[in-house]
Each structure stands twice: as structure tokens, then as C-alpha cells.
Amino acid sequence: EAAVTQSPRSKVAVTGGKVTLSCHQTNNHDYMYWYRQDTGHGLRLIHYSYVADSTEKGDIPDGYKASRPSQENFSLILELASLSQTAVYFCASSAISNERLFFGHGTKLSVL
Amino acid sequence: AQSVTQPDARVTVSEGASLQLRCKYSYSGTPYLFWYVQYPRQGLQLLLKYYSGDPVVQGVNGFEAEFSKSNSSFHLRKASVHWSDSAVYFCALSLASSGSWQLIFGSGTQLTVMP
């Protein structure tokens, strides 16, 4: 079964601090995604990538950066964390754009 | 604008009862539709998908969904639910937008199965 691993599983950050969420996939997939999930809302796409060393903006990229140093790894970076970025973050991968996505377990981020 | 609506935020059913979770989409083109399930403290997993052909598609664990173009719907069904089906269910629409594919998720339906 395809595997997507996120770290950390949860994190508490201070407002204005830098946060890096990491994602590693062993699926050999070209596409990787970062989604944000807020209570009562569906998933919203922050950034995605279809090749190493390249990232694309999703629907809500403001306040977030992404990095894809290799096919297997995709990071989400919050340079200046804010209270509004408290959410659960999911990484996912797929072989084809928006075909079946394989999700990680999620990272619960609390910004205080 | 394209959208996915799941009108029921929470659904509670008794174990062994039948289930229908509703999903409506707004898109003028050919929709590719998915149902994902999120069990507690886990990521989303694909239940089933519809691309074309038979409007009734079968998924894992006895789930099925029926596509209706006339109603712009893709409702999820199960004949007899089990307590382990308690989870959040997301409907999603994949469509072509500005030269790339976009995946739009509904807000999810929290299903609780009572023993």
C-alpha cells in the first residue's frame, strides 16, 4: 500500500515563529499536495508540486511557502506563523494530477 | 463557480440501518467524482470514484454511489452500516481549470453509527 508520512504529528508554535511541516512519500508519485483542514470545512489546497524543485500555488497560498527538494519530499513552511493558521494540515500524493490521492495522517498545528 | 455541497453536516443512524449521504456538485463540464472517508486521527482514504459509464459505482466495504447528471448529484449509499463506519465522509469533484486539474472538496459529513 502506498505510504505518505508526515512529521510532526502535532506541533505548538508561537505567533511570529517559523514552522516547517515535512512530508515523505514512498509511492514514486510525481504529484504532491498540501491541504489545510478547518473544522466544518472541506480541505483547501495550499501548494502542490508535480516535479522536484518546482512548486505551484493552490487556492490559499498566502502565508505559506513550499519546497520540493526531491520526488519523495515536500515541505510546507510558515515563515511567520499566525493564529489563523491553526488547523490540521494534510500532505497527499498522486500518480496523476488529482487522480486517487494518498493522504498522510495529518499534522495538528496550534499557533498560540 | 464550481462547487461541491454536502448539505448534511452530521448524520446519525443505527447499526444495521441503511445509509445515504448526499452530495451535490456545480460544474457544467464532465465531472470526475470521488468519495473519501476520514477515520478518526487518520488521513483521507478513497472509497470510490466515478469517471464515466455505469452511474452506479461500487466501492470498498459495501459502499456504492450513484451519479445523476440531471440532478448534479453523487450520493453515497450503504445497505447496512456497521459501527466501524463512523467517520467523516468527503465528496470531491475533479475538473479541468486553466490548463490544470483542480480537486474541490465538500465540507464533509460526520457519520455516527449508534450500536
Side-chain angles (χ1 to χ4, degrees):
Chain A
E1 181 70 11
V4 177
T5 305
Q6 292 181 232
S7 62
R9 292 294 294 268
S10 65
K11 183 172 180 64
V12 178
V14 295
T15 303
K18 181 177 181 179
V19 176
T20 299
L21 306 182
S22 299
C23 180
H24 178 80
Q25 56 110 348
T26 59
N27 308 328
N28 198 33
H29 287 166
D30 286 331
Y31 289 83
M32 295 188 75
Y33 314 82
W34 276 106
Y35 284 92
R36 168 177 173 154
Q37 183 182 38
D38 297 279
T39 303
H41 292 84
L43 279 68
R44 293 181 289 173
L45 182 64
I46 306 171
H47 285 286
Y48 67 98
S49 168
Y50 54 84
V51 67
D53 294 323
S54 178
T55 63
E56 305 292 334
K57 293 181 179 179
D59 299 323
I60 53 165
D62 293 346
Y64 302 94
K65 291 184 180 179
S67 173
R68 182 97 182 266
S70 64
Q71 186 194 41
E72 297 80 15
N73 295 294
F74 191 37
S75 297
L76 185 68
I77 302 148
L78 290 66
E79 295 279 3
L80 295 170
S82 66
L83 293 173
S84 63
Q85 293 178 311
T86 293
V88 179
Y89 292 85
F90 286 99
C91 177
S93 74
S94 68
I96 302 172
S97 175
N98 290 319
E99 237 284 0
R100 177 182 181 181
L101 268 63
F102 292 85
F103 285 83
H105 281 65
T107 296
K108 184 176 181 180
L109 175 65
S110 299
V111 182
L112 305 178
Chain B
Q2 298 87 1
S3 65
V4 175
T5 301
Q6 294 180 246
D8 305 309
R10 297 179 180 274
V11 171
T12 300
V13 297
S14 298
E15 192 167 25
S18 62
L19 170 71
Q20 177 172 278
L21 301 182
R22 296 184 291 165
C23 173
K24 299 273 286 184
Y25 68 90
S26 174
Y27 179 53
S28 58
T30 301
Y32 298 144
L33 295 157
F34 305 80
W35 275 99
Y36 282 86
V37 60
Q38 183 182 23
Y39 297 106
R41 295 173 297 283
Q42 295 188 28
L44 283 70
Q45 304 170 33
L46 182 68
L47 267 182
L48 48 80
K49 61 184 179 183
Y50 172 80
Y51 288 164
S52 64
D54 190 337
V56 179
V57 292
Q58 304 297 320
V60 298
N61 297 331
F63 284 94
E64 68 175 27
E66 182 167 6
F67 168 69
S68 171
K69 186 173 183 178
S70 60
N71 294 324
S72 297
S73 66
F74 189 55
H75 300 330
L76 182 70
R77 303 189 299 232
K78 187 171 184 179
S80 177
V81 295
H82 187 263
W83 64 267
S84 60
D85 293 325
S86 295
V88 181
Y89 292 80
F90 291 94
C91 182
L93 165 68
S94 181
L95 53 90
S97 174
S98 302
S100 65
W101 286 94
Q102 182 182 8
L103 189 63
I104 300 173
F105 284 88
S107 55
T109 297
Q110 171 74 59
L111 172 66
T112 301
V113 180
M114 304 296 289

PDB file of all heavy atoms in Angstrom, chain A residues 11-47:
ATOM      1  N   LYS A  11       2.024  19.934  16.595  1.00  0.00           N
ATOM      2  CA  LYS A  11       3.017  20.959  16.931  1.00  0.00           C
ATOM      3  C   LYS A  11       2.318  22.169  17.516  1.00  0.00           C
ATOM      4  O   LYS A  11       1.244  22.564  17.041  1.00  0.00           O
ATOM      5  CB  LYS A  11       3.818  21.370  15.700  1.00  0.00           C
ATOM      6  CG  LYS A  11       4.920  22.384  16.020  1.00  0.00           C
ATOM      7  CD  LYS A  11       5.815  22.636  14.865  1.00  0.00           C
ATOM      8  CE  LYS A  11       6.902  23.642  15.236  1.00  0.00           C
ATOM      9  NZ  LYS A  11       7.802  23.129  16.293  1.00  0.00           N
ATOM     10  N   VAL A  12       2.947  22.731  18.524  1.00  0.00           N
ATOM     11  CA  VAL A  12       2.508  24.002  19.080  1.00  0.00           C
ATOM     12  C   VAL A  12       3.564  25.038  18.732  1.00  0.00           C
ATOM     13  O   VAL A  12       4.756  24.830  18.996  1.00  0.00           O
ATOM     14  CB  VAL A  12       2.321  23.919  20.608  1.00  0.00           C
ATOM     15  CG1 VAL A  12       1.904  25.269  21.152  1.00  0.00           C
ATOM     16  CG2 VAL A  12       1.288  22.857  20.958  1.00  0.00           C
ATOM     17  N   ALA A  13       3.144  26.105  18.110  1.00  0.00           N
ATOM     18  CA  ALA A  13       4.061  27.152  17.686  1.00  0.00           C
ATOM     19  C   ALA A  13       3.625  28.497  18.272  1.00  0.00           C
ATOM     20  O   ALA A  13       2.454  28.679  18.623  1.00  0.00           O
ATOM     21  CB  ALA A  13       4.109  27.235  16.165  1.00  0.00           C
ATOM     22  N   VAL A  14       4.568  29.416  18.360  1.00  0.00           N
ATOM     23  CA  VAL A  14       4.246  30.749  18.846  1.00  0.00           C
ATOM     24  C   VAL A  14       4.019  31.673  17.668  1.00  0.00           C
ATOM     25  O   VAL A  14       4.605  31.503  16.586  1.00  0.00           O
ATOM     26  CB  VAL A  14       5.368  31.310  19.740  1.00  0.00           C
ATOM     27  CG1 VAL A  14       5.491  30.467  21.002  1.00  0.00           C
ATOM     28  CG2 VAL A  14       6.689  31.372  19.004  1.00  0.00           C
ATOM     29  N   THR A  15       3.174  32.642  17.871  1.00  0.00           N
ATOM     30  CA  THR A  15       2.898  33.618  16.830  1.00  0.00           C
ATOM     31  C   THR A  15       4.191  34.312  16.412  1.00  0.00           C
ATOM     32  O   THR A  15       4.984  34.741  17.259  1.00  0.00           O
ATOM     33  CB  THR A  15       1.901  34.666  17.352  1.00  0.00           C
ATOM     34  OG1 THR A  15       0.719  33.996  17.797  1.00  0.00           O
ATOM     35  CG2 THR A  15       1.535  35.653  16.263  1.00  0.00           C
ATOM     36  N   GLY A  16       4.392  34.380  15.099  1.00  0.00           N
ATOM     37  CA  GLY A  16       5.593  35.011  14.578  1.00  0.00           C
ATOM     38  C   GLY A  16       6.762  34.071  14.398  1.00  0.00           C
ATOM     39  O   GLY A  16       7.775  34.440  13.802  1.00  0.00           O
ATOM     40  N   GLY A  17       6.640  32.867  14.878  1.00  0.00           N
ATOM     41  CA  GLY A  17       7.709  31.893  14.743  1.00  0.00           C
ATOM     42  C   GLY A  17       7.663  31.193  13.395  1.00  0.00           C
ATOM     43  O   GLY A  17       6.693  31.294  12.646  1.00  0.00           O
ATOM     44  N   LYS A  18       8.721  30.473  13.097  1.00  0.00           N
ATOM     45  CA  LYS A  18       8.800  29.726  11.844  1.00  0.00           C
ATOM     46  C   LYS A  18       8.429  28.278  12.104  1.00  0.00           C
ATOM     47  O   LYS A  18       8.872  27.661  13.069  1.00  0.00           O
ATOM     48  CB  LYS A  18      10.212  29.814  11.264  1.00  0.00           C
ATOM     49  CG  LYS A  18      10.368  29.080   9.932  1.00  0.00           C
ATOM     50  CD  LYS A  18      11.775  29.260   9.362  1.00  0.00           C
ATOM     51  CE  LYS A  18      11.917  28.545   8.022  1.00  0.00           C
ATOM     52  NZ  LYS A  18      13.268  28.735   7.433  1.00  0.00           N
ATOM     53  N   VAL A  19       7.614  27.731  11.202  1.00  0.00           N
ATOM     54  CA  VAL A  19       7.165  26.346  11.324  1.00  0.00           C
ATOM     55  C   VAL A  19       7.430  25.623  10.009  1.00  0.00           C
ATOM     56  O   VAL A  19       7.145  26.172   8.936  1.00  0.00           O
ATOM     57  CB  VAL A  19       5.665  26.272  11.645  1.00  0.00           C
ATOM     58  CG1 VAL A  19       5.192  24.820  11.673  1.00  0.00           C
ATOM     59  CG2 VAL A  19       5.363  26.954  12.979  1.00  0.00           C
ATOM     60  N   THR A  20       7.977  24.436  10.107  1.00  0.00           N
ATOM     61  CA  THR A  20       8.186  23.610   8.919  1.00  0.00           C
ATOM     62  C   THR A  20       7.508  22.269   9.126  1.00  0.00           C
ATOM     63  O   THR A  20       7.774  21.571  10.108  1.00  0.00           O
ATOM     64  CB  THR A  20       9.679  23.384   8.641  1.00  0.00           C
ATOM     65  OG1 THR A  20      10.312  24.649   8.416  1.00  0.00           O
ATOM     66  CG2 THR A  20       9.866  22.518   7.400  1.00  0.00           C
ATOM     67  N   LEU A  21       6.624  21.943   8.209  1.00  0.00           N
ATOM     68  CA  LEU A  21       5.943  20.641   8.219  1.00  0.00           C
ATOM     69  C   LEU A  21       6.539  19.811   7.094  1.00  0.00           C
ATOM     70  O   LEU A  21       6.681  20.297   5.967  1.00  0.00           O
ATOM     71  CB  LEU A  21       4.450  20.819   8.019  1.00  0.00           C
ATOM     72  CG  LEU A  21       3.745  21.780   8.981  1.00  0.00           C
ATOM     73  CD1 LEU A  21       2.252  21.802   8.684  1.00  0.00           C
ATOM     74  CD2 LEU A  21       4.010  21.423  10.421  1.00  0.00           C
ATOM     75  N   SER A  22       6.848  18.560   7.405  1.00  0.00           N
ATOM     76  CA  SER A  22       7.530  17.712   6.436  1.00  0.00           C
ATOM     77  C   SER A  22       6.629  16.569   5.973  1.00  0.00           C
ATOM     78  O   SER A  22       5.784  16.077   6.719  1.00  0.00           O
ATOM     79  CB  SER A  22       8.806  17.138   7.045  1.00  0.00           C
ATOM     80  OG  SER A  22       9.688  18.174   7.411  1.00  0.00           O
ATOM     81  N   CYS A  23       6.871  16.150   4.750  1.00  0.00           N
ATOM     82  CA  CYS A  23       6.106  15.059   4.157  1.00  0.00           C
ATOM     83  C   CYS A  23       7.036  14.201   3.308  1.00  0.00           C
ATOM     84  O   CYS A  23       7.845  14.735   2.533  1.00  0.00           O
ATOM     85  CB  CYS A  23       4.981  15.624   3.304  1.00  0.00           C
ATOM     86  SG  CYS A  23       3.953  14.365   2.509  1.00  0.00           S
ATOM     87  N   HIS A  24       6.900  12.902   3.454  1.00  0.00           N
ATOM     88  CA  HIS A  24       7.732  11.958   2.716  1.00  0.00           C
ATOM     89  C   HIS A  24       6.836  10.881   2.133  1.00  0.00           C
ATOM     90  O   HIS A  24       5.991  10.321   2.839  1.00  0.00           O
ATOM     91  CB  HIS A  24       8.765  11.327   3.658  1.00  0.00           C
ATOM     92  CG  HIS A  24       9.648  10.313   3.002  1.00  0.00           C
ATOM     93  ND1 HIS A  24      10.737  10.653   2.223  1.00  0.00           N
ATOM     94  CD2 HIS A  24       9.592   8.950   2.986  1.00  0.00           C
ATOM     95  CE1 HIS A  24      11.330   9.551   1.775  1.00  0.00           C
ATOM     96  NE2 HIS A  24      10.650   8.513   2.220  1.00  0.00           N
ATOM     97  N   GLN A  25       7.002  10.587   0.848  1.00  0.00           N
ATOM     98  CA  GLN A  25       6.186   9.549   0.220  1.00  0.00           C
ATOM     99  C   GLN A  25       7.065   8.493  -0.428  1.00  0.00           C
ATOM    100  O   GLN A  25       8.126   8.804  -0.984  1.00  0.00           O
ATOM    101  CB  GLN A  25       5.219  10.157  -0.809  1.00  0.00           C
ATOM    102  CG  GLN A  25       5.876  10.991  -1.895  1.00  0.00           C
ATOM    103  CD  GLN A  25       5.853  10.391  -3.269  1.00  0.00           C
ATOM    104  OE1 GLN A  25       5.533   9.205  -3.439  1.00  0.00           O
ATOM    105  NE2 GLN A  25       6.194  11.187  -4.269  1.00  0.00           N
ATOM    106  N   THR A  26       6.598   7.277  -0.338  1.00  0.00           N
ATOM    107  CA  THR A  26       7.327   6.141  -0.926  1.00  0.00           C
ATOM    108  C   THR A  26       6.544   5.547  -2.081  1.00  0.00           C
ATOM    109  O   THR A  26       6.731   4.376  -2.434  1.00  0.00           O
ATOM    110  CB  THR A  26       7.600   5.070   0.146  1.00  0.00           C
ATOM    111  OG1 THR A  26       6.339   4.625   0.688  1.00  0.00           O
ATOM    112  CG2 THR A  26       8.476   5.602   1.259  1.00  0.00           C
ATOM    113  N   ASN A  27       5.655   6.335  -2.664  1.00  0.00           N
ATOM    114  CA  ASN A  27       4.769   5.862  -3.723  1.00  0.00           C
ATOM    115  C   ASN A  27       5.363   6.019  -5.118  1.00  0.00           C
ATOM    116  O   ASN A  27       4.767   5.571  -6.097  1.00  0.00           O
ATOM    117  CB  ASN A  27       3.445   6.631  -3.685  1.00  0.00           C
ATOM    118  CG  ASN A  27       2.816   6.607  -2.319  1.00  0.00           C
ATOM    119  OD1 ASN A  27       2.972   5.636  -1.586  1.00  0.00           O
ATOM    120  ND2 ASN A  27       2.119   7.669  -1.958  1.00  0.00           N
ATOM    121  N   ASN A  28       6.458   6.724  -5.205  1.00  0.00           N
ATOM    122  CA  ASN A  28       7.030   7.047  -6.518  1.00  0.00           C
ATOM    123  C   ASN A  28       6.068   7.916  -7.338  1.00  0.00           C
ATOM    124  O   ASN A  28       6.015   7.823  -8.569  1.00  0.00           O
ATOM    125  CB  ASN A  28       7.386   5.773  -7.297  1.00  0.00           C
ATOM    126  CG  ASN A  28       8.361   6.045  -8.436  1.00  0.00           C
ATOM    127  OD1 ASN A  28       9.221   6.926  -8.331  1.00  0.00           O
ATOM    128  ND2 ASN A  28       8.226   5.304  -9.519  1.00  0.00           N
ATOM    129  N   HIS A  29       5.295   8.745  -6.643  1.00  0.00           N
ATOM    130  CA  HIS A  29       4.338   9.631  -7.308  1.00  0.00           C
ATOM    131  C   HIS A  29       4.993  10.950  -7.679  1.00  0.00           C
ATOM    132  O   HIS A  29       5.824  11.485  -6.943  1.00  0.00           O
ATOM    133  CB  HIS A  29       3.149   9.907  -6.380  1.00  0.00           C
ATOM    134  CG  HIS A  29       2.236   8.740  -6.230  1.00  0.00           C
ATOM    135  ND1 HIS A  29       1.279   8.671  -5.233  1.00  0.00           N
ATOM    136  CD2 HIS A  29       2.100   7.599  -6.943  1.00  0.00           C
ATOM    137  CE1 HIS A  29       0.612   7.540  -5.354  1.00  0.00           C
ATOM    138  NE2 HIS A  29       1.097   6.868  -6.374  1.00  0.00           N
ATOM    139  N   ASP A  30       4.554  11.495  -8.808  1.00  0.00           N
ATOM    140  CA  ASP A  30       5.075  12.792  -9.233  1.00  0.00           C
ATOM    141  C   ASP A  30       4.389  13.948  -8.509  1.00  0.00           C
ATOM    142  O   ASP A  30       4.988  14.967  -8.234  1.00  0.00           O
ATOM    143  CB  ASP A  30       4.895  12.970 -10.742  1.00  0.00           C
ATOM    144  CG  ASP A  30       5.880  12.125 -11.542  1.00  0.00           C
ATOM    145  OD1 ASP A  30       6.985  11.863 -11.032  1.00  0.00           O
ATOM    146  OD2 ASP A  30       5.536  11.739 -12.671  1.00  0.00           O
ATOM    147  N   TYR A  31       3.097  13.788  -8.220  1.00  0.00           N
ATOM    148  CA  TYR A  31       2.324  14.881  -7.653  1.00  0.00           C
ATOM    149  C   TYR A  31       2.270  14.790  -6.125  1.00  0.00           C
ATOM    150  O   TYR A  31       2.026  13.726  -5.565  1.00  0.00           O
ATOM    151  CB  TYR A  31       0.892  14.876  -8.195  1.00  0.00           C
ATOM    152  CG  TYR A  31       0.802  15.288  -9.639  1.00  0.00           C
ATOM    153  CD1 TYR A  31       1.025  14.369 -10.656  1.00  0.00           C
ATOM    154  CD2 TYR A  31       0.497  16.597  -9.975  1.00  0.00           C
ATOM    155  CE1 TYR A  31       0.964  14.750 -11.979  1.00  0.00           C
ATOM    156  CE2 TYR A  31       0.422  16.989 -11.304  1.00  0.00           C
ATOM    157  CZ  TYR A  31       0.662  16.068 -12.300  1.00  0.00           C
ATOM    158  OH  TYR A  31       0.598  16.445 -13.607  1.00  0.00           O
ATOM    159  N   MET A  32       2.493  15.947  -5.500  1.00  0.00           N
ATOM    160  CA  MET A  32       2.337  16.045  -4.055  1.00  0.00           C
ATOM    161  C   MET A  32       1.585  17.327  -3.722  1.00  0.00           C
ATOM    162  O   MET A  32       1.680  18.325  -4.460  1.00  0.00           O
ATOM    163  CB  MET A  32       3.697  16.017  -3.339  1.00  0.00           C
ATOM    164  CG  MET A  32       4.435  14.689  -3.493  1.00  0.00           C
ATOM    165  SD  MET A  32       5.907  14.550  -2.473  1.00  0.00           S
ATOM    166  CE  MET A  32       5.179  14.286  -0.836  1.00  0.00           C
ATOM    167  N   TYR A  33       0.844  17.286  -2.617  1.00  0.00           N
ATOM    168  CA  TYR A  33      -0.069  18.368  -2.276  1.00  0.00           C
ATOM    169  C   TYR A  33       0.004  18.665  -0.770  1.00  0.00           C
ATOM    170  O   TYR A  33       0.244  17.779   0.030  1.00  0.00           O
ATOM    171  CB  TYR A  33      -1.510  17.977  -2.598  1.00  0.00           C
ATOM    172  CG  TYR A  33      -1.746  17.341  -3.944  1.00  0.00           C
ATOM    173  CD1 TYR A  33      -1.504  15.982  -4.154  1.00  0.00           C
ATOM    174  CD2 TYR A  33      -2.231  18.086  -5.003  1.00  0.00           C
ATOM    175  CE1 TYR A  33      -1.719  15.391  -5.375  1.00  0.00           C
ATOM    176  CE2 TYR A  33      -2.458  17.500  -6.235  1.00  0.00           C
ATOM    177  CZ  TYR A  33      -2.209  16.156  -6.415  1.00  0.00           C
ATOM    178  OH  TYR A  33      -2.432  15.570  -7.637  1.00  0.00           O
ATOM    179  N   TRP A  34      -0.256  19.906  -0.446  1.00  0.00           N
ATOM    180  CA  TRP A  34      -0.502  20.287   0.943  1.00  0.00           C
ATOM    181  C   TRP A  34      -1.911  20.883   1.031  1.00  0.00           C
ATOM    182  O   TRP A  34      -2.243  21.829   0.310  1.00  0.00           O
ATOM    183  CB  TRP A  34       0.513  21.314   1.446  1.00  0.00           C
ATOM    184  CG  TRP A  34       1.779  20.709   1.941  1.00  0.00           C
ATOM    185  CD1 TRP A  34       2.995  20.715   1.332  1.00  0.00           C
ATOM    186  CD2 TRP A  34       1.956  20.003   3.176  1.00  0.00           C
ATOM    187  NE1 TRP A  34       3.907  20.046   2.098  1.00  0.00           N
ATOM    188  CE2 TRP A  34       3.305  19.611   3.242  1.00  0.00           C
ATOM    189  CE3 TRP A  34       1.110  19.668   4.229  1.00  0.00           C
ATOM    190  CZ2 TRP A  34       3.834  18.892   4.319  1.00  0.00           C
ATOM    191  CZ3 TRP A  34       1.627  18.958   5.305  1.00  0.00           C
ATOM    192  CH2 TRP A  34       2.979  18.582   5.340  1.00  0.00           C
ATOM    193  N   TYR A  35      -2.699  20.301   1.937  1.00  0.00           N
ATOM    194  CA  TYR A  35      -4.048  20.777   2.180  1.00  0.00           C
ATOM    195  C   TYR A  35      -4.172  21.249   3.620  1.00  0.00           C
ATOM    196  O   TYR A  35      -3.485  20.758   4.507  1.00  0.00           O
ATOM    197  CB  TYR A  35      -5.076  19.663   1.958  1.00  0.00           C
ATOM    198  CG  TYR A  35      -5.376  19.338   0.530  1.00  0.00           C
ATOM    199  CD1 TYR A  35      -4.677  18.345  -0.146  1.00  0.00           C
ATOM    200  CD2 TYR A  35      -6.390  20.001  -0.153  1.00  0.00           C
ATOM    201  CE1 TYR A  35      -4.965  18.029  -1.459  1.00  0.00           C
ATOM    202  CE2 TYR A  35      -6.697  19.686  -1.466  1.00  0.00           C
ATOM    203  CZ  TYR A  35      -5.975  18.704  -2.113  1.00  0.00           C
ATOM    204  OH  TYR A  35      -6.269  18.388  -3.415  1.00  0.00           O
ATOM    205  N   ARG A  36      -5.124  22.120   3.813  1.00  0.00           N
ATOM    206  CA  ARG A  36      -5.455  22.581   5.147  1.00  0.00           C
ATOM    207  C   ARG A  36      -6.900  22.194   5.428  1.00  0.00           C
ATOM    208  O   ARG A  36      -7.777  22.337   4.564  1.00  0.00           O
ATOM    209  CB  ARG A  36      -5.286  24.103   5.202  1.00  0.00           C
ATOM    210  CG  ARG A  36      -5.868  24.753   6.421  1.00  0.00           C
ATOM    211  CD  ARG A  36      -5.607  26.226   6.436  1.00  0.00           C
ATOM    212  NE  ARG A  36      -6.345  26.827   7.554  1.00  0.00           N
ATOM    213  CZ  ARG A  36      -5.997  27.939   8.148  1.00  0.00           C
ATOM    214  NH1 ARG A  36      -4.924  28.612   7.739  1.00  0.00           N
ATOM    215  NH2 ARG A  36      -6.713  28.415   9.157  1.00  0.00           N
ATOM    216  N   GLN A  37      -7.149  21.704   6.647  1.00  0.00           N
ATOM    217  CA  GLN A  37      -8.493  21.332   7.053  1.00  0.00           C
ATOM    218  C   GLN A  37      -8.868  22.109   8.300  1.00  0.00           C
ATOM    219  O   GLN A  37      -8.195  22.034   9.318  1.00  0.00           O
ATOM    220  CB  GLN A  37      -8.601  19.827   7.330  1.00  0.00           C
ATOM    221  CG  GLN A  37     -10.000  19.372   7.683  1.00  0.00           C
ATOM    222  CD  GLN A  37     -10.079  17.887   8.000  1.00  0.00           C
ATOM    223  OE1 GLN A  37      -9.184  17.321   8.620  1.00  0.00           O
ATOM    224  NE2 GLN A  37     -11.136  17.238   7.552  1.00  0.00           N
ATOM    225  N   ASP A  38      -9.962  22.847   8.207  1.00  0.00           N
ATOM    226  CA  ASP A  38     -10.511  23.569   9.348  1.00  0.00           C
ATOM    227  C   ASP A  38     -11.831  22.928   9.730  1.00  0.00           C
ATOM    228  O   ASP A  38     -12.566  22.423   8.874  1.00  0.00           O
ATOM    229  CB  ASP A  38     -10.710  25.044   9.002  1.00  0.00           C
ATOM    230  CG  ASP A  38      -9.398  25.741   8.695  1.00  0.00           C
ATOM    231  OD1 ASP A  38      -8.712  26.114   9.658  1.00  0.00           O
ATOM    232  OD2 ASP A  38      -9.062  25.888   7.506  1.00  0.00           O
ATOM    233  N   THR A  39     -12.151  23.007  10.983  1.00  0.00           N
ATOM    234  CA  THR A  39     -13.385  22.399  11.489  1.00  0.00           C
ATOM    235  C   THR A  39     -14.580  22.894  10.701  1.00  0.00           C
ATOM    236  O   THR A  39     -14.756  24.104  10.525  1.00  0.00           O
ATOM    237  CB  THR A  39     -13.565  22.721  12.979  1.00  0.00           C
ATOM    238  OG1 THR A  39     -12.421  22.256  13.693  1.00  0.00           O
ATOM    239  CG2 THR A  39     -14.816  22.027  13.511  1.00  0.00           C
ATOM    240  N   GLY A  40     -15.375  21.951  10.198  1.00  0.00           N
ATOM    241  CA  GLY A  40     -16.576  22.325   9.472  1.00  0.00           C
ATOM    242  C   GLY A  40     -16.341  22.693   8.023  1.00  0.00           C
ATOM    243  O   GLY A  40     -17.277  23.080   7.321  1.00  0.00           O
ATOM    244  N   HIS A  41     -15.113  22.569   7.590  1.00  0.00           N
ATOM    245  CA  HIS A  41     -14.798  22.883   6.197  1.00  0.00           C
ATOM    246  C   HIS A  41     -14.136  21.688   5.540  1.00  0.00           C
ATOM    247  O   HIS A  41     -13.542  20.847   6.192  1.00  0.00           O
ATOM    248  CB  HIS A  41     -13.873  24.099   6.107  1.00  0.00           C
ATOM    249  CG  HIS A  41     -14.514  25.373   6.526  1.00  0.00           C
ATOM    250  ND1 HIS A  41     -14.597  25.765   7.849  1.00  0.00           N
ATOM    251  CD2 HIS A  41     -15.117  26.354   5.827  1.00  0.00           C
ATOM    252  CE1 HIS A  41     -15.220  26.923   7.924  1.00  0.00           C
ATOM    253  NE2 HIS A  41     -15.547  27.304   6.716  1.00  0.00           N
ATOM    254  N   GLY A  42     -14.228  21.685   4.241  1.00  0.00           N
ATOM    255  CA  GLY A  42     -13.514  20.674   3.493  1.00  0.00           C
ATOM    256  C   GLY A  42     -12.047  21.027   3.416  1.00  0.00           C
ATOM    257  O   GLY A  42     -11.585  21.994   4.018  1.00  0.00           O
ATOM    258  N   LEU A  43     -11.296  20.239   2.677  1.00  0.00           N
ATOM    259  CA  LEU A  43      -9.880  20.502   2.515  1.00  0.00           C
ATOM    260  C   LEU A  43      -9.658  21.596   1.482  1.00  0.00           C
ATOM    261  O   LEU A  43     -10.326  21.618   0.442  1.00  0.00           O
ATOM    262  CB  LEU A  43      -9.147  19.233   2.069  1.00  0.00           C
ATOM    263  CG  LEU A  43      -8.804  18.244   3.183  1.00  0.00           C
ATOM    264  CD1 LEU A  43     -10.050  17.604   3.756  1.00  0.00           C
ATOM    265  CD2 LEU A  43      -7.853  17.193   2.663  1.00  0.00           C
ATOM    266  N   ARG A  44      -8.721  22.448   1.773  1.00  0.00           N
ATOM    267  CA  ARG A  44      -8.374  23.518   0.842  1.00  0.00           C
ATOM    268  C   ARG A  44      -6.903  23.400   0.467  1.00  0.00           C
ATOM    269  O   ARG A  44      -6.046  23.239   1.344  1.00  0.00           O
ATOM    270  CB  ARG A  44      -8.672  24.888   1.457  1.00  0.00           C
ATOM    271  CG  ARG A  44     -10.165  25.152   1.668  1.00  0.00           C
ATOM    272  CD  ARG A  44     -10.401  26.528   2.243  1.00  0.00           C
ATOM    273  NE  ARG A  44      -9.967  26.628   3.640  1.00  0.00           N
ATOM    274  CZ  ARG A  44      -9.941  27.767   4.311  1.00  0.00           C
ATOM    275  NH1 ARG A  44     -10.297  28.896   3.730  1.00  0.00           N
ATOM    276  NH2 ARG A  44      -9.547  27.774   5.572  1.00  0.00           N
ATOM    277  N   LEU A  45      -6.629  23.543  -0.819  1.00  0.00           N
ATOM    278  CA  LEU A  45      -5.297  23.321  -1.342  1.00  0.00           C
ATOM    279  C   LEU A  45      -4.412  24.537  -1.124  1.00  0.00           C
ATOM    280  O   LEU A  45      -4.763  25.651  -1.535  1.00  0.00           O
ATOM    281  CB  LEU A  45      -5.381  22.981  -2.830  1.00  0.00           C
ATOM    282  CG  LEU A  45      -4.076  22.678  -3.537  1.00  0.00           C
ATOM    283  CD1 LEU A  45      -3.442  21.414  -2.962  1.00  0.00           C
ATOM    284  CD2 LEU A  45      -4.316  22.530  -5.035  1.00  0.00           C
ATOM    285  N   ILE A  46      -3.244  24.318  -0.520  1.00  0.00           N
ATOM    286  CA  ILE A  46      -2.318  25.415  -0.241  1.00  0.00           C
ATOM    287  C   ILE A  46      -1.254  25.511  -1.344  1.00  0.00           C
ATOM    288  O   ILE A  46      -1.091  26.550  -1.980  1.00  0.00           O
ATOM    289  CB  ILE A  46      -1.626  25.213   1.121  1.00  0.00           C
ATOM    290  CG1 ILE A  46      -2.658  25.004   2.234  1.00  0.00           C
ATOM    291  CG2 ILE A  46      -0.725  26.402   1.453  1.00  0.00           C
ATOM    292  CD1 ILE A  46      -2.051  24.575   3.558  1.00  0.00           C
ATOM    293  N   HIS A  47      -0.520  24.444  -1.521  1.00  0.00           N
ATOM    294  CA  HIS A  47       0.502  24.353  -2.570  1.00  0.00           C
ATOM    295  C   HIS A  47       0.523  22.924  -3.109  1.00  0.00           C
ATOM    296  O   HIS A  47       0.102  21.994  -2.425  1.00  0.00           O
ATOM    297  CB  HIS A  47       1.901  24.688  -2.028  1.00  0.00           C
ATOM    298  CG  HIS A  47       2.155  26.131  -1.768  1.00  0.00           C
ATOM    299  ND1 HIS A  47       2.355  27.050  -2.776  1.00  0.00           N
ATOM    300  CD2 HIS A  47       2.263  26.810  -0.605  1.00  0.00           C
ATOM    301  CE1 HIS A  47       2.572  28.251  -2.240  1.00  0.00           C
ATOM    302  NE2 HIS A  47       2.505  28.126  -0.929  1.00  0.00           N
TER     303      HIS A  47
END
